């Protein structure tokens, strides 16, 4: 089982250490001078000195050589003045041709192939595990544990003279696979393989080719740890690890300030969530005494929960009047809002589009951002204990879905539309969690992984064709030129919009149904939640069709020069599109509930509370179910048709002119993303800076150090003032002695008078 | 193996090794460009390290054998004891427990790199420099292994002087100010500690009629009649102040940024890596065991100060414009975690605190080394003067990234294990306010990401917009040789910290026993020893079982 994460890790290590050597030293555009030997890098450590000593005007080669020789470096470019910075907002700039590096074609094939192969091997092993679980079906209780090693071990303390005992901590580094994990494994490694394959084409001209694949493999490794960890801590390793990989990949084009800013923002915002997650872990340890999910006394077992209840888990008043039973899932959910980009921590995801597009597809659409949903589903037994938190999850999910959808309606950047769409769809998943339909949430995770990965990869293909252009205002009419991309993306659009019978319909419809009449004993669903979800579904269909129309329909709005370069992507990129389009089209039948197919949920079984769900069936009539079903099916079709005709008529693909847009406060507000970034910037970034500066420049330098220096200065002053006494004149010393003697005698007399008197 | 080793004075050899090295450096010619001095200093640092590796034979199982408990209840091994001034009860008494052993090995390990980095960062007075740094090592090691209060005090002061010279002679522009500040700050604390040591000396005599400075004897005496009340608090306060300044705890930290900025690279490495640990180590070795009652009383205050230190250090670090100063303030934050762990009095927190001492030594040591390396190239440490170095120095960049991540406690690096154990332990603590404070302290995970990543971004990423940054060469072979072992240790401690904790677990249990305020582990009376032995006998199977698991 260790094989599954081991393959990507191996890929990471190999590429990180040898990638540079394999792809060859990148040969950038260098205007000044140049060196004649910059291929290979076998003698580079010494080269570095040579270059430094010599009158080198291209020291970057020295750097690159040293990198190659040390083997620590991965693919890496030397400085290129025409690099990505020159492109400004041009996100796909690596295809602009300027910073194309002359990589060794064989080497790049090897690196890309190796990275893809490693993930593919993981996929094969995951398939094996999946089928073995499918065979040994036990309502989701089948679980396989890997060999473990002790990660942290603190023995319990027993006072030798007393009976006082403090519990120890024995933490194993262990993996486990159950149906829920195995599903995630298939998504991660399956879609991961496709996206790796796609990347071999998409990134083929980038000088950071090897570095890119090393990071990508690293990401897969951590993501696998996240879903395979058999306890919260191993999960947390993956949790933070994917954050790292995300940070590195968002900031992949590191010369661009906006990219590194976005990476940093993603990491820090996620850390805020991790902070909450950590507190939840402390509470879990306090009440459960372990971090293990399952096994004896495991956190997610009935036995473990009973033990915690005995330890006062249900008592309130721990903090803010809330008990651990509320705080634990609440804090975990805050952690999830960080990773899964929900209110209030969603701000990083749109910025994360600074990364290469396949990264957006893999990390910021299909896998990492669903980690929060995975976590909530995994710990659903803790969430179910607190109806309050369940309600919060549902409301936050719905609110996020709505807010992000409004923002997606007005974006002009093709990737930003998809980014906000992702945030919105993740909101849907949390809505499902909040009403207790965990299995459905995972189902939407799965279908969303298909169609959103497809849409992102498709948008990457568009950007590729458009020489790096991402603004839809400069597109149009691409449908005829890049037909495969157009057709596959159309399927993705139909799927996300919820058109029967594409994948999105089945999952979204189920979510709406459960939002209407939640399956839980607490009656978590409500028509209000349904109505909200229904509106969002309509908006989803609208902004997706809008995006498609702007991109592919109408007259071309790009320059003829760009137009001449428009071409369909190579097979390495279109093949994944086709596979994903197929999955988006038919993937929904895994759990076509209206047709009576529950295979998906049944497979997940206990891991997503299937049994609880069966015990508390929907609280509605079958006719209501049918009406709701028809309503959402018709809504999707109607909105799609309306949006299509509206944009078909619109001149230059715009329904509003710029003036109309600017005059409309609602437009401005949504276009500015509800101003959340500005508020956060104002309060946290600027406020934090001001406060920290105050601490440093006033507290530290003035107050504390001022006191220290004041004391020192006072002593110096005092010493200076008495220095005069040491004048060197005997008469002065004699006088001093006389005074001293008088004082001593006086002192003795007084002393005798005071103390001696009593004798 | 332990038995054979204990027949030879391992610790004395280890302490003498740097001094012998200093003699070699002093009496042999300096060589061209200090080549000879460098060579000898390096050789003897290596030898010291190898000798200290013998301490790894430290056997925690032996602690639980009944015979050992009877043997003055010592959980110390490699003991050596020779009378020094018997009429005053002063002896040369050294030994290590699991905690000191690890810190000693960390010290000798870091010393190698401190000496190695000095090859390129020191350009004058080679002989004096290497003598100083070797004497410093003996001072630090002595302070870790001393089991006699006077001996400890002597070593404590001995290490002060070389560090003063390191900063004052080989330091930066404001070196005199920084050196003086460092010296005075520390001396102020030391004086109080000396007073407390004397007071303790007389107190023990009053109790037992024996004149002794021996730590173990004093502990035995105090176990029978603990120091309580105001006198205990005063003594604790005097010791605590000396150590708190050294740590440094908020608000006694302002000497640290100045000292770090002005010190040469090796000085910063040793200062941050080892010297600060002497402060925290002092708490573990002296403050808590000698005055458990006072420690319990002061614990809330110390936890509050630690928490302030964590947040305050991090926020102030974020605003720094000088990389070295940033790292210095980050040390205030990290050491706050250590103090939080020590005074939570739970097994996890204590274990994490000791781990964090080592972690901080490795990670911050590595950071200072890296800062020193770019300083040698650019002769500036201002963040604004850099930018785009990732492109110029890829190997440097990658190593810097790893060390940065270790500093912000990413899982699978050493920092995470320490911080996590401290926080999870502190959260379980019974000390008043501990839970609230732990929550505040946990925000440290956010702040550390803020200041480290922001700094990393400004230094490493972006375009190369300064012409000076275009001519930078990447790490040389020697520099890589310095950094790679540290990087390996970062991962080793992050992935398999059990290798370290299993050496110290039993010592921690004993420290923890001492923190339970009423009647800690008794070192004296036969009854108590027997009871303790019996209790430990019961624990033995469990302990060996765990060790068995761990060793697989």
């Amino acid at each position: 089982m260790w094989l599954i994460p081991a393959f990507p890790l191996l890929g990471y290590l190999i590429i990180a250490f040898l990638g540079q050597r394999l792809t060859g030293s990148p040969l950038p555009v260098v205007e000044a001078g140049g060196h004649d030997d910059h291929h290979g890098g076998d003698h580079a450590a010494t080269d570095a000195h040579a270059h430094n000593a010599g009158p080198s005007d291209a020291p970057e080669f020295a750097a690159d050589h040293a990198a190659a020789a040390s083997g620590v470096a991965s693919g890496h470019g030397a400085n290129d003045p025409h690099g990505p910075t020159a492109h400004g907002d041009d996100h796909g700039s690596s295809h602009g041709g300027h910073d194309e590096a002359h990589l060794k074609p064989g080497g790049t094939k090897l690196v890309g192939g190796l990275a893809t192969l490693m993930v593919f091997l993981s996929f094969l092993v995951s398939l094996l595990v999946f089928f073995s679980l499918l065979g040994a079906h036990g309502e989701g209780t089948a679980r396989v544990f890997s060999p473990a090693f002790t990660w942290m071990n603190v023995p319990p303390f027993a006072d030798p003279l007393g009976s006082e005992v403090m519990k120890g901590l024995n933490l194993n580094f262990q993996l486990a696979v159950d149906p829920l994990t195995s599903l995630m494994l298939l998504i991660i490694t399956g879609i991961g393989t496709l996206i790796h394959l796609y990347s071999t084409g998409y990134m083929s001209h980038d000088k950071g080719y090897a570095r890119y694949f090393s990071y990508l493999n690293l990401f897969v490794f951590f993501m696998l740890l996240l879903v395979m960890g058999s306890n919260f801590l191993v999960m947390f390793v993956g949790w933070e690890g994917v954050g790292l990989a995300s940070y590195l990949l968002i900031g992949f084009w590191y010369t661009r300030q906006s990219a590194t800013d976005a990476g940093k923002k993603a990491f820090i915002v996620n850390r805020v969530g991790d902070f909450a997650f950590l507190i939840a872990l402390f509470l879990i340890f306090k009440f459960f005494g372990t971090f293990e999910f399952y096994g004896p006394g495991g956190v997610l077992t009935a036995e473990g929960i009973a033990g915690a209840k005995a330890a006062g888990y249900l008592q309130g008043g721990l903090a803010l009047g809330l008990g651990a039973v509320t705080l634990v899932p609440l804090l975990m959910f805050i952690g999830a809002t960080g990773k899964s980009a929900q209110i209030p921590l969603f701000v990083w995801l749109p910025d994360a589009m600074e990364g290469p597009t396949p990264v957006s597809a893999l990390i910021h659409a299909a896998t990492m951002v669903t980690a929060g949903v995975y976590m909530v589903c995994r710990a659903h037994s803790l969430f179910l204990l607190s109806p309050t938190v369940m309600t919060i999850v549902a409301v936050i999910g719905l609110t996020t879905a709505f807010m992000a959808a409004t923002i997606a309606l007005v974006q002009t950047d093709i990737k930003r539309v998809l980014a906000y769409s992702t945030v919105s769809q993740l909101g849907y998943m949390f809505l499902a969690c909040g009403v207790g339909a965990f299995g459905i949430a995972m189902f939407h995770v799965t279908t969303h992984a298909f169609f959103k990965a497809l849409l992102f990869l498709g948008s990457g293909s568009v950007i590729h064709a458009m020489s790096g252009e991402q603004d839809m205002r400069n597109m149009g009419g691409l449908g005829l030129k890049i037909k495969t991309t157009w057709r596959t993306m159309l399927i993705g659009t139909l799927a996300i919009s919820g058109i029967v019978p594409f994948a999105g319909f089945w999952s979204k419809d189920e979510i709406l149904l459960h939002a209407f009449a939640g399956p839980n004993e607490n009656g978590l669903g409500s028509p209000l939640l349904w109505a909200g979800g229904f509106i969002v579904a309509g908006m989803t269909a609208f902004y997706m069709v809008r995006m498609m129309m702007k991109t592919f329909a109408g007259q071309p709005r790009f320059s003829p020069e760009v137009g001449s370069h428009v071409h369909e992507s190579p097979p390495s990129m279109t093949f994944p599109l086709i596979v994903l389009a197929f999955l988006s089209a038919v993937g929904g039948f895994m759990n076509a509930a209206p047709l009576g197919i529950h295979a998906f949920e049944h497979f997940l079984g206990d891991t997503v509370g299937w049994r609880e769900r069966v015990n508390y069936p929907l609280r509605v009539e079958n006719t209501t179910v049918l009406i709701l079903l028809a309503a959402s099916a018709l809504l999707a079709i109607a909105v799609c048709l309306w949006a299509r005709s509206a944009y078909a008529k619109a001149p230059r693909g715009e329904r509003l002119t710029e003036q109309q847009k600017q005059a409309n406060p609602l437009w401005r507000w949504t276009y500015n993303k509800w101003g959340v970034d500005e508020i956060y910037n104002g309060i946290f970034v600027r406020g934090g800076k001001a406060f920290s500066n105050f601490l440093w420049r006033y507290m530290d330098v003035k107050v504390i150090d001022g006191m220290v220096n004041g004391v020192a200065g006072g002593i110096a002053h005092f010493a200076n003032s008495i220095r005069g006494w040491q004048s060197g004149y005997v008469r002065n010393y004699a006088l001093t002695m006389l005074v001293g003697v008088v004082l001593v005698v006086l002192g003795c007399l007084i002393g005798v008078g005071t103390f001696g008197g009593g004798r | 193996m332990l038995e054979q080793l204990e027949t030879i004075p391992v610790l004395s050899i280890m302490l003498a090794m740097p001094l012998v090295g200093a003699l070699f450096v002093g009496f042999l010619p300096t060589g061209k460009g200090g080549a000879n001095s460098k060579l000898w200093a390096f050789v003897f640092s290596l030898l010291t390290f190898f000798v200290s590796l013998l301490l790894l034979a430290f056997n925690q199982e032996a602690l639980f054998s009944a015979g050992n408990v009877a043997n003055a209840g010592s959980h110390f091994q490699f003991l050596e004891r020779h009378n020094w001034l018997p009429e005053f009860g002063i002896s040369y008494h050294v030994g290590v427990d699991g905690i000191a052993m690890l810190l000693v090995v960390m010290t000798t390990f870091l010393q190698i790199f401190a000496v190695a980095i000095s090859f390129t960062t020191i350009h004058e007075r080679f002989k004096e420099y290497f003598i100083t740094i070797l004497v410093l090592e003996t001072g630090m090691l002595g302070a870790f292994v001393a089991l006699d209060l006077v001996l400890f005090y002597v070593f404590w002061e001995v290490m002060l002087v070389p560090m003063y010279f390191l900063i004052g002679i080989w330091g930066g522009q404001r070196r005199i100010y920084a050196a003086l500040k460092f010296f005075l700050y520390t001396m102020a604390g030391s004086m109080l500690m000396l007073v407390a040591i004397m007071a303790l000396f007389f107190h023990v005599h009053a109790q037992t009629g024996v004149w002794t400075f021996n730590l173990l004897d004093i502990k035995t005496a105090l176990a029978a009649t603990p120091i309580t009340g105001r006198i205990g608090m005063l003594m604790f306060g005097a010791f605590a102040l000396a150590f708190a300044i050294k740590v440094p705890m908020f608000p006694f930290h302002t000497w640290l940024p100045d000292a770090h900025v002005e010190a040469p690279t090796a000085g910063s490495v040793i200062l941050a890596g080892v010297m600060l640990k002497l402060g925290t180590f002092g708490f573990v070795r002296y403050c808590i065991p000698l005055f458990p009652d006072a420690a319990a009383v002061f614990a809330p205050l110390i936890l509050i100060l630690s928490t302030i230190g964590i947040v305050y250090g991090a926020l102030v670090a974020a605003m720094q414009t000088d990389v070295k100063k940033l790292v210095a303030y980050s040390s205030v934050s990290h050491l706050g975690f250590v103090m939080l762990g020590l005074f939570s009095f739970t097994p996890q927190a204590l274990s994490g605190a000791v781990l964090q001492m080592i972690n901080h030594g490795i990670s911050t040591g590595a950071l200072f080394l890296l800062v020193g390396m770019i300083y040698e190239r650019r002769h500036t440490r201002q963040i604004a003067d850099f930018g785009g170095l990732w492109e110029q120095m890829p190997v440097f960049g990658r190593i810097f990234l790893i060390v940065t991540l270790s500093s912000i406690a990413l899982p699978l690096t050493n920092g995470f294990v320490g911080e996590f154990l401290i926080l999870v332990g502190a959260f379980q603590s019974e000390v008043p306010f501990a839970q609230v404070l732990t929550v505040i302290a946990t925000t440290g995970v956010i702040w550390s990401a803020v200041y480290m990543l922001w700094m990393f971004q400004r230094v490493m990423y972006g375009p190369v917009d300064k012409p000076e940054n275009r001519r930078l060469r990447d790490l040389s072979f020697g520099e890589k040789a310095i950094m790679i072992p540290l990087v390996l240790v970062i991962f080793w401690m992050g992935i398999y910290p059990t290798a370290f904790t299993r050496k110290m677990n039993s010592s921690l249990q004993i420290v923890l026993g001492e923190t339970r305020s009423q009647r800690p582990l008794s070192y004296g009376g036969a009854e108590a020893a027997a009871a303790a032995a019996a209790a430990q006998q019961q624990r033995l199977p469990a302990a060996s079982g765990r060790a068995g698991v761990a060793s697989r």
Side-chain angles (χ1 to χ4, degrees), chain A residues 45 48-49 52 54-57 59-60 62-64 66-67 69-70 72-81 85 149-161 164 166-169 171 173 207 211 215 221-222 225 233 236-237 240-241 244 247-248 251 254-257 260-261 264 267-268 271-272 274-275 278-279 281-283 285-286 291 318 688-689 691-693 695-697 699-700 704-705 708-709, chain B residues 177 181 185 250-251 253-254 257-258 312 315-316 318-321 325 329 345-348 351 390-395 398-399 401 405 408-412 416-417 420-421 423-424 427-428 430 435 438-439 442-443 445-446 448-450 453-454 456-457 460-464 470-477 480 484 494-498 501 505 509 512-513 516 519-522 528 531-532 535 539 546 549-550:
Chain A
H49 295 296
N52 195 51
S56 161
D57 36 20
E60 52 268 40
D64 275 311
S70 79
V72 175
S74 52
H76 188 277
N79 177 45
D80 171 13
T85 40
F149 69 88
T150 306
W151 187 17
M152 298 180 205
N153 176 34
V154 179
F157 171 73
D159 199 324
L161 296 183
E164 202 166 4
M166 286 189 274
K167 57 181 174 254
L169 169 64
L171 197 66
F173 209 104
K207 60 187 179 176
R211 189 164 57 96
Y215 290 168
F221 164 70
F222 277 123
L225 276 191
L233 255 277
F236 191 74
V237 173
E240 289 252 295
L244 166 68
Y247 162 78
L248 293 171
Y254 52 81
T255 48
R256 206 160 60 200
Q257 174 89 19
T260 52
D261 274 348
K264 188 180 63 179
F267 196 93
I268 290 169
R271 270 272 162 132
V272 177
D274 295 353
F275 156 74
L278 276 174
I279 306 285
L281 292 183
F282 303 156
L283 279 166
F285 185 67
K286 186 177 176 65
F291 292 112
L318 206 62
K689 270 187 193 171
F691 179 64
S692 304
N693 240 330
L695 282 186
W696 177 36
R697 297 196 187 276
M699 268 302 283
D700 219 57
I704 299 177
D705 230 20
V708 172
N709 287 335
Chain B
Y177 170 76
K181 196 170 176 181
Y185 243 117
F250 177 88
H253 64 275
T254 55
D258 286 314
Y312 180 94
L315 290 181
V316 175
M319 299 319 296
Q320 297 307 313
T321 54
K325 223 165 179 173
Y329 275 107
F345 307 139
T346 59
Q348 292 84 19
S351 176
W390 184 271
E391 224 150 36
Q392 306 298 318
M393 308 169 70
V395 179
R398 279 150 183 78
I399 294 177
L401 181 63
L405 294 174
I408 62 181
L410 199 84
L412 297 189
F416 175 71
V417 180
F420 180 77
L421 284 176
L423 291 170
V424 80
F427 197 78
Q428 324 295 325
E430 291 153 15
Q435 293 198 351
T438 308
V439 171
T442 309
T443 59
V445 302
I446 306 170
S448 63
V450 171
L453 290 186
W454 192 25
F456 191 81
Q457 180 193 24
M460 300 308 297
Y461 292 149
V464 188
R470 285 185 166 271
R471 302 177 135 304
L472 298 179
R473 66 190 155 80
D474 206 349
L475 297 190
S476 67
F477 176 77
K480 280 182 217 155
I484 287 171
I495 296 169
Y496 197 62
T498 315
T501 51
N505 272 339
Q509 294 252 318
L512 205 57
R516 313 306 290 178
R519 298 275 303 203
L521 261 188
S522 182
R539 265 189 298 163
R546 278 192 303 276
V549 170

Side-chain angles (χ1 to χ4, degrees), chain A residues 234-372:
Chain A
V234 179
M235 184 182 181
F236 191 74
V237 173
W239 189 267
E240 289 252 295
V242 290
L244 166 68
S246 170
Y247 162 78
L248 293 171
L249 282 164
I250 295 169
F252 179 73
W253 287 309
Y254 52 81
T255 48
R256 206 160 60 200
Q257 174 89 19
S258 56
T260 52
D261 274 348
K264 188 180 63 179
K265 183 173 173 184
F267 196 93
I268 290 169
V269 172
N270 267 300
R271 270 272 162 132
V272 177
D274 295 353
F275 156 74
F277 194 1
L278 276 174
I279 306 285
L281 292 183
F282 303 156
L283 279 166
I284 285 174
F285 185 67
K286 186 177 176 65
F287 288 98
F288 292 86
T290 179
F291 292 112
E292 294 295 326
F293 292 143
Y294 306 104
V299 178
L300 305 177
T301 59
E303 180 198 348
I305 289 174
K309 280 179 181 165
Y313 185 66
L314 297 181
Q315 280 164 20
L318 206 62
L320 311 168
L322 302 173
V325 67
T326 315
L327 285 173
V328 168
L330 184 63
L331 289 165
M332 286 171 73
F333 177 61
I334 294 175
T337 61
K339 196 103 308 185
S340 294
Q342 298 294 293
I343 293 172
L345 299 178
F346 69 96
V347 288
W348 64 271
L349 184 59
D351 289 21
M353 298 301 129
E354 290 285 342
T357 305
V359 170
S360 312
L362 179 62
I363 301 185
H364 305 120
T367 54
M368 184 184 87
V369 289
T370 60

Side-chain angles (χ1 to χ4, degrees), chain A residues 377 436-444 591 600-601 604 608-610 613:
Chain A
C377 290
F438 300 101
I440 301 299
M442 287 313 295
F443 183 42
H444 199 58
N591 205 52
F600 185 87
E601 262 196 287
L604 293 182
V608 291
W610 167 249
R613 216 161 97 48

Side-chain angles (χ1 to χ4, degrees), chain A residues 3 53 85 118 135 155 178 189 191 199 201 245 281 368 375 420 431 437 463 472 482 486 566 623 643 646 679 696 698:
Chain A
L3 278 178
T85 40
M118 285 300 166
D178 59 6
T189 55
I191 294 186
S199 301
L281 292 183
M368 184 184 87
M375 185 245 263
Y420 280 104
L431 173 63
I463 295 165
M472 294 187 297
I482 43 175
W486 151 243
V566 172
T623 43
I679 297 170
W696 177 36
Y698 186 76

Side-chain angles (χ1 to χ4, degrees), chain A residues 365 418 421-422 425 447-457 496:
Chain A
L418 291 173
S421 162
T422 304
Q425 296 298 311
T447 57
H448 177 256
F450 296 154
F451 56 69
K452 192 50 72 63
L454 166 63
L455 288 168
F456 263 119
L457 294 185
I496 193 175

